[in-house]
Amino acid sequence: MTIEDFLRLLLRNLFLLILGVALGAAAGFGFSFSKPEVYSASALGYVSASSQTDEAGNPIQQASGNMQFQYSKAQSYLPLFNTRAVGQSIVDDLGLQSSPDTVAGSLQAKLDPNAPIITVTAFAGSAQEASDIPNAAVEATADEARTLESGGNEDAAVSVQLATYQNAVLPGAPESPDRFKYLAAGAAAGLLIALAVAWLRDRNDSRIRTADDIAEAVDLPLLGTLPDVKELGRAKNGTLPDPKTFGAREAIRKLRTNLRYVDVDAPPHSIVVTSSAPGEGKSIVAGNLARVMARAGQPTLLIDADLRRPMVADQFGVDGAVGLSQLLAASVSLEDAVQPSSTQLLSLLPAGQVPPNPSELLGSRRMKELIEELSRSYFVIIDAPPVLAVTDAQLLARHADGAILVAVPGQTRSFGLTRSVEAIRGVSAKVYGVVMNRASSSRFTRLAYGDAEYGYASYGKYGYGAATGYDTATVVPDSDDEVDVEQAGGPAEPLTSVGAAHVVTDSGSDANLEDTGELRSARGRRAAPNRDAE
């Protein structure tokens, strides 16, 4: 995994990471309240020495130059603080419920490196005990040291003694638990767990997101990428609106151009548009593709072969009562079943009545003959059911010249796409490529997953407009009037007239085309003022 992959992993799982840190911090902070509060306080003791004593034997004058002696004596007193005798004296003096060993073991005594001063620190569950114990510890240790120095003789003179130098102060807040440390530790633990979960999710994520994912899943070209915009979807009344913005129109044109050059040795006359699973927009792609093919001067017929969930009639606002099912059953003629649309050169063949045996009808010899007959006069686009749901798409792909699969970034699974290709190829049918539908053009998605296409810019800031300053109104008029193809120099070259070509690359550049006489004439026709017949 590269640094870029890791950063994208963090960006893709940003919400999960934030949630993990928040939950971990909350858990750590809450766990700190399960720990008992511990207070601490410290008292100071000073070890002094006297060279003279009074008649009673008590030291009366501090010895000069005897600091080293005092310091060594102070070191010898340190172990006394943790003895059972000192602990018992503290328990008796303060009336504690703890054992002498526990009290003595809780004391920490250390010697100042520059003076014979001993710092005694005690830890207790209450602030009062924490301040009382070190004060009592200094006195108890002083008594124990005096007893040891005098050999148990209370009347003996002692030249060295430990005295209280500074009493402990009542602590204002507990020393532990440190809630901030628990909070930080919990946040760090939550982040690590969230990273592990994110890595596992990313490792097991089989959804298609970019052209690279398609190339890894199936050995097929990406024929086009349609942006996730409202105008490339159905309206509320179920109809399919005509795209107005330049980005949406150009994405469909690009699909048309790539499809024209997808197989130059045997150009398709009929194609099946399908997907691996329902809800991936194959009917919308088929409808938009049919429109753009017709507007390029190609007589086009859109057949609704999804006899289980027909959509074409509603998308184009035509009567779908009579259609393909009656035509296959020989109950109506072709002229009665085919209907014109509002787009010039585009005809529609609705599904008709939903039959009880769709697979038998679509796999029949009559369906094969019908497609062969219609493809002589039209470029036939067949809207078929999803491949993995039923066998209809496989049967139709075998009758047609080939099929294209529709995939949705973040929804289509790679194994579903692979199985769909294998299913179609399993019946000796051809798959021309994949169309990526509803590709997000948001900056966040592109940063987190990469561009859907190789280096393809956001549709909101399409490459032509960004480079030349064209705006949407300049490139594509908002007028709904159809442009006369003949006035624009005639239609583009038919699918059967190209000698050799190459699929348009994702960057929008054409590969080398064989300069046949037919291609030169097609170029001459395209030299008309309008760039495209839309």
Side-chain angles (χ1 to χ4, degrees):
M1 177 182 288
T2 64
I3 295 179
E4 183 181 2
D5 293 335
F6 180 72
L7 293 177
R8 285 182 171 175
L9 173 66
L10 296 182
L11 193 59
R12 288 195 295 268
N13 297 276
L14 184 59
F15 176 76
L16 174 62
L17 297 178
I18 294 175
L19 181 62
V21 171
L23 292 178
F29 187 74
F31 181 72
S32 68
F33 287 93
S34 66
K35 297 294 182 180
E37 291 184 340
V38 177
Y39 293 83
S40 67
S42 299
L44 302 181
Y46 184 80
V47 178
S48 62
S50 298
S51 59
Q52 297 181 5
T53 61
D54 57 14
E55 295 179 354
N58 297 320
I60 60 175
Q61 182 179 351
Q62 182 70 26
S64 176
N66 206 20
M67 185 64 68
Q68 185 63 38
F69 175 69
Q70 294 174 246
Y71 197 83
S72 62
K73 278 295 184 179
Q75 284 183 317
S76 67
Y77 290 164
L78 290 180
L80 296 179
F81 286 93
N82 300 116
T83 59
R84 182 177 297 172
V86 171
Q88 184 65 57
S89 178
I90 296 173
V91 170
D92 294 341
D93 185 25
L94 300 179
L96 302 178
Q97 300 298 321
S98 302
S99 66
D101 291 336
T102 301
V103 174
S106 68
L107 297 175
Q108 292 182 357
K110 62 180 180 179
L111 182 62
D112 188 284
N114 300 314
I117 298 177
I118 298 175
T119 302
V120 183
T121 304
F123 299 91
S126 67
Q128 189 63 49
E129 284 188 6
S131 63
D132 290 343
I133 289 176
N135 295 332
V138 173
E139 296 178 0
T141 304
D143 293 341
E144 186 69 16
R146 186 181 297 111
T147 301
L148 293 176
E149 291 285 348
S150 64
N153 184 3
E154 296 182 357
D155 297 331
V158 178
S159 60
V160 180
Q161 64 180 356
L162 173 64
T164 300
Y165 179 67
Q166 179 177 295
N167 288 326
V169 179
L170 190 71
E175 180 175 296
S176 66
D178 189 337
R179 306 200 191 282
F180 178 77
K181 289 184 178 179
Y182 276 94
L183 186 147
L191 178 61
L192 292 177
I193 294 174
L195 281 173
V197 173
W199 181 78
L200 290 174
R201 285 183 58 190
D202 189 70
R203 185 177 179 87
N204 297 318
D205 187 7
S206 61
R207 288 173 288 186
I208 297 293
R209 298 189 185 276
T210 64
D212 289 330
D213 297 335
I214 292 177
E216 292 178 3
V218 290
D219 185 20
L220 290 171
L222 179 62
L223 297 177
T225 300
L226 306 184
D228 186 13
V229 291
K230 290 183 178 179
E231 56 186 333
L232 287 180
R234 296 189 190 92
K236 292 182 178 180
N237 59 2
T239 60
L240 189 64
D242 199 1
K244 298 297 183 183
T245 61
F246 176 76
R249 287 180 177 241
E250 191 63 20
I252 304 172
R253 292 191 193 105
K254 185 178 179 182
L255 170 60
R256 177 194 65 196
T257 305
N258 282 339
L259 188 60
R260 178 175 289 128
Y261 300 136
V262 74
D263 190 348
V264 295
D265 295 328
H269 298 269
S270 56
I271 61 167
V272 172
V273 180
T274 184
S275 60
S276 59
E280 295 179 335
K282 47 92 181 173
S283 297
I284 296 175
V285 172
N288 284 314
L289 178 60
R291 276 178 176 165
V292 79
M293 292 293 292
R295 285 174 177 165
Q298 177 80 52
T300 305
L301 176 65
L302 175 60
I303 300 178
D304 192 349
D306 192 345
L307 301 182
R308 304 168 193 270
R309 295 182 61 187
M311 294 288 183
V312 170
D314 292 337
Q315 288 184 168
F316 288 87
V318 298
D319 185 8
V322 177
L324 179 62
S325 59
Q326 291 95 329
L327 185 60
L328 294 178
S331 59
V332 297
S333 65
L334 181 62
E335 291 75 13
D336 294 333
V338 174
Q339 301 183 38
S341 70
S342 59
T343 303
Q344 294 181 6
L345 300 182
L346 175 59
S347 301
L348 307 173
L349 180 55
Q353 296 179 355
V354 178
N357 55 344
S359 298
E360 287 75 6
L361 284 178
L362 298 177
S364 64
R365 180 181 300 177
R366 172 61 179 156
M367 184 67 192
K368 179 179 179 182
E369 294 173 349
L370 179 63
I371 294 176
E372 291 177 351
E373 177 185 353
L374 293 173
S375 61
R376 297 189 185 99
S377 304
Y378 300 96
F379 181 77
V380 179
I381 298 176
I382 305 170
D383 179 13
V387 178
L388 300 183
V390 290
T391 62
D392 300 4
Q394 296 170 257
L395 300 172
L396 291 168
R398 186 174 183 180
H399 297 332
D401 293 330
I404 60 175
L405 286 167
V406 176
V408 177
Q411 177 177 332
T412 303
R413 303 282 178 174
S414 58
F415 64 84
L417 195 63
T418 303
R419 289 176 56 190
S420 298
V421 173
E422 292 175 350
I424 294 175
R425 288 176 175 172
V427 294
S428 302
K430 183 181 295 185
V431 183
Y432 289 121
V434 180
V435 177
M436 195 174 288
N437 187 34
R438 299 202 297 266
S440 175
S441 58
S442 69
R443 185 181 299 273
F444 177 83
T445 303
R446 290 165 55 206
L447 289 175
Y449 297 100
D451 288 336
E453 289 188 270
Y454 301 105
Y456 202 64
S458 171
Y459 285 97
K461 297 181 180 178
Y462 196 78
Y464 295 153
T468 62
Y470 295 155
D471 56 17
T472 302
T474 302
V475 179
V476 181
D478 291 332
S479 172
D480 294 330
D481 296 338
E482 296 290 342
V483 178
D484 193 332
V485 177
E486 296 300 332
Q487 292 181 359
E493 66 272 10
L495 295 181
T496 57
S497 66
V498 179
H502 186 70
V503 175
V504 176
T505 62
D506 290 323
S507 62
S509 60
D510 291 337
N512 294 330
L513 305 176
E514 184 179 339
D515 197 8
T516 63
E518 294 146 324
L519 188 56
R520 283 195 297 269
S521 64
R523 286 173 176 165
R525 290 195 298 271
R526 285 200 302 270
N530 288 345
R531 175 179 171 273
D532 192 37
E534 285 194 50

